Amino acid sequence: MRIEDTDPARHAGIEYPMEVGAPVFAPIKVTEEKDKAVNVARQNAKLEYDRIMEQAEVLMKQAKALQARLDATEMVHSAKFSFNPIHGKIYHLYYDSRNGVNVLIQNGPREWSCGIPEGWTYSMAVKKLGDSTWAVIEEDALTV
């Protein structure tokens, strides 16, 4: 290419200035720019991935809590009881080894005047929720 060539389209494809007053520039190293772009993309993708994983952990905790409620609900509905449970009240589940069934009653393990009946084993405290499912109540919550 000759210096006298004045076609601007041809000047754009050349790696060096073609005129005396043209700004000085260095050619861009494409591989370095690609590496930088890939690194930035990886960093942003990792942040997004971490955020999604945090959300997934929250959803997994919610799913496990729901599954625990469903398990407790099935245990209570398979248990023997002769009263109408009230929403929001805490009840206690015992296993009667003589009859091989679960029994739902209102007395907790520390509320018996003569002690827990022979052959009964305390299983858990449960609470009937507004959606008719049952939630397991932790022992720490019973002392409050």
Side-chain angles (χ1 to χ4, degrees):
M1 181 184 296
R2 296 183 316 192
I3 293 182
E4 296 86 31
D5 193 356
T6 58
D7 183 14
R10 292 178 59 120
H11 289 203
I14 299 175
E15 295 182 359
Y16 47 86
M18 287 297 297
E19 299 171 2
V20 173
V24 177
F25 64 91
I28 298 172
K29 295 184 178 177
V30 175
T31 54
E32 285 181 19
E33 290 300 315
K34 284 182 181 179
D35 288 343
K36 287 178 188 176
V38 167
N39 287 336
V40 167
R42 282 186 182 147
Q43 287 174 347
N44 289 331
K46 177 152 178 30
L47 290 173
E48 185 71 13
Y49 178 81
D50 291 343
R51 188 181 63 78
I52 291 170
M53 292 308 292
E54 286 176 14
Q55 291 174 348
E57 286 177 27
V58 169
L59 290 174
M60 287 303 296
K61 285 179 185 177
Q62 290 174 344
K64 286 179 183 179
L66 180 60
Q67 185 61 49
R69 279 185 22 215
L70 290 174
D71 293 342
T73 301
E74 287 180 16
M75 285 184 71
V76 169
H77 285 287
S78 69
K80 281 187 166 184
F81 55 93
S82 58
F83 57 91
N84 188 14
I86 299 169
H87 295 285
K89 189 166 178 4
I90 296 175
Y91 298 94
H92 301 276
L93 207 62
Y94 291 86
Y95 179 72
D96 182 0
S97 59
R98 291 178 294 171
N99 298 324
V101 295
N102 286 321
V103 180
L104 183 71
I105 61 172
Q106 297 177 10
N107 288 357
R110 297 182 208 107
E111 298 170 349
W112 294 88
S113 60
C114 302
I116 298 175
E118 192 171 326
W120 283 24
T121 307
Y122 179 73
S123 298
M124 67 182 81
V126 291
K127 180 179 186 179
K128 188 171 184 181
L129 302 177
D131 61 354
S132 295
T133 60
W134 291 80
V136 176
I137 304 298
E138 300 298 326
E139 297 298 321
D140 300 340
L142 294 176
T143 58
V144 174

